[in-house]
Amino acid sequence: MTALLASSGGDGFESPSVREFFPKAVLFDGTIFELNRVRIIALVMTVLLGGFFVLAFRRPKIVPTGLQNVGEVALDFVRFQIVDEVMGERGRRFIPYITALFWTILAFNVAGIIPFLQISPNSVVALPLIFALCTYVIFNYAGVKAQGAGPYLKSNLFPPGIPKPLYLLITPIEFVSTFLLRPFTLTVRLLANMMSGHLLLVLFFTGASYLLLEADTMLKPFGLLSAAMGFAFTLFEVLVAVLQAYIFALLTAVYLDGALSAEH
Amino acid sequence: MSGTAQPERGDAVVWSVLSTLLAGPLVWGGAGWLVGQWLDARWMTPVGIVLGSALSLYIVYVRHGRNDPAENPGVRL
């Protein structure tokens, strides 16, 4: 295979790398407002999402029609499937945050498979990190406010019902798990899914284009296979986009629920 | 286990135990590595990792796995 590729002439195949995620600046190069393709996509998706909700609820009616129907389904999904499911009645206050979180992350994820955008802003660490830090600050604040700082720490660091000496071993784990790893795992789960999805799609489609257009005749069938795989993974990415947004919102609800209730 | 009327949903909790499962081996594996460097005992790292994993599983069991109907009425999923 390698020999065939080498003998096919041309410049050879260039596989996708981490450079994919850091394209050249388009505007304001060198300033803190530097705009590149990925940042612009984030802005475009934000405007589209905001625009959709503004249009849907511009003139809300008791009996919704048209776009308002879609908007209400969008809001109800988060409210009933995530917030009510995990937190029940007392989750009401957090519906706006969790709804905004879910739909923003989903919009950013889906950008990865929208033609001409084709990269998710969540595949660069900044955005997943910001979302995770927001959740981190909110669940800790809600916990301290609901229980008081002392009881909140106690319920997190000293799970009840275990022999006293074991706390020596358990408490460091609980501290690292709740206060250090939670934001980290939230960030990395979303980031890694979006990065790997993008790399896979780039690999299959650039591979298909190279094999079909530049490589030896013998290799052309592999080009078709590569294109087919690219198509299959595009469908798979739809699933990943929804699932990752759902998990992020769900975990936010779970963390908030845990912070509000004193473990007994 | 949250002490509310709302029973904890199993599927939601599954996603939240990941950080606990990572923290155990990380903390005690790290401690084992540090002590191992100090006492020149390389075997402390794997021992720490195994101990930490066991403790992590224990925490998950304590927090989510105890299924005592008397103490915890309501549907468990």
Side-chain angles (χ1 to χ4, degrees):
Chain A
M1 185 86 176
T2 328
L4 276 173
L5 280 175
S7 66
S8 66
D11 299 330
F13 176 65
E14 207 174 304
S15 59
S17 75
V18 75
R19 283 193 307 274
E20 289 289 322
F21 302 101
F22 303 99
K24 278 206 181 68
V26 181
L27 265 180
F28 312 126
D29 196 0
T31 69
I32 53 165
F33 300 108
E34 184 174 308
L35 275 180
N36 60 29
R37 222 173 79 78
V38 182
R39 295 276 80 86
I40 292 171
I41 290 169
L43 289 175
V44 167
M45 294 313 290
T46 311
V47 169
L48 285 180
L49 186 72
F52 165 75
F53 279 114
V54 166
L55 281 181
F57 295 105
R58 193 179 33 172
R59 276 190 288 276
K61 301 191 185 75
I62 308 263
V63 181
T65 51
L67 209 55
Q68 195 189 342
N69 269 319
V70 187
E72 291 202 358
V73 169
L75 298 187
D76 281 352
F77 172 76
V78 179
R79 177 172 180 168
F80 293 121
Q81 299 300 314
I82 299 175
V83 181
D84 275 8
E85 195 87 329
V86 178
M87 304 181 70
E89 194 67 17
R90 62 181 177 177
R92 288 286 147 82
R93 292 191 287 139
F94 300 104
I95 289 175
Y97 172 62
I98 296 176
T99 306
L101 189 71
F102 175 81
W103 285 104
T104 313
I105 294 178
L106 182 59
F108 285 177
N109 286 354
V110 163
I113 43 173
I114 294 178
F116 305 112
L117 300 182
Q118 281 164 325
I119 187 167
S120 166
N122 283 337
S123 57
V124 181
V125 75
L127 281 172
L129 188 66
I130 291 285
F131 294 135
L133 287 179
C134 286
T135 289
Y136 183 72
V137 169
I138 287 176
F139 86 72
N140 279 315
Y141 176 75
V144 170
K145 206 176 160 209
Q147 301 184 40
Y152 174 62
L153 284 178
K154 185 167 174 286
S155 75
N156 272 306
L157 299 180
F158 299 93
I162 62 173
K164 285 248 151 56
L166 265 184
Y167 284 125
L168 211 61
L169 297 172
I170 297 282
T171 302
I173 298 181
E174 286 287 58
F175 175 77
V176 170
S177 146
T178 305
F179 295 109
L180 301 181
L181 282 181
R182 272 184 182 182
F184 178 77
T185 51
L186 275 177
T187 308
V188 171
R189 186 183 297 109
L190 180 58
L191 172 74
N193 270 285
M194 289 303 112
M195 268 184 92
S196 57
H198 180 72
L199 284 175
L200 271 172
L201 294 186
V202 173
L203 181 66
F204 280 123
F205 285 122
T206 54
S209 123
Y210 176 79
L211 289 167
L212 285 172
L213 303 177
E214 289 174 48
D216 263 8
T217 328
M218 277 179 67
L219 287 172
K220 292 205 191 292
F222 290 107
L224 287 177
L225 183 70
S226 184
M229 289 297 285
F231 181 69
F233 269 98
T234 303
L235 295 182
F236 182 64
E237 281 305 303
V238 179
L239 182 75
V240 174
V242 178
L243 189 69
Q244 288 308 317
Y246 175 71
I247 289 171
F248 206 110
L250 187 78
L251 279 177
T252 298
V254 170
Y255 293 163
L256 274 167
D257 189 59
L260 290 181
S261 55
E263 313 266 335
H264 53 111
Chain B
M1 269 171 263
S2 49
T4 55
Q6 189 78 9
E8 200 173 60
R9 289 295 301 237
D11 50 354
V13 166
V14 167
W15 291 106
S16 73
V17 299
L18 177 71
S19 55
T20 306
L21 292 178
L22 284 175
L26 213 68
V27 168
W28 290 111
W33 181 79
L34 278 179
V35 175
Q37 292 283 308
W38 178 39
L39 297 177
D40 203 19
R42 300 272 303 273
W43 54 269
M44 300 284 283
T45 314
V47 168
I49 292 175
V50 171
L51 176 75
S53 310
L55 287 167
S56 281
L57 289 173
Y58 179 66
I59 295 174
V60 172
Y61 166 73
V62 167
R63 282 210 189 271
H64 308 292
R66 285 187 182 170
N67 202 354
D68 184 1
E71 176 192 301
N72 206 21
V75 189
R76 306 278 310 170
L77 293 170

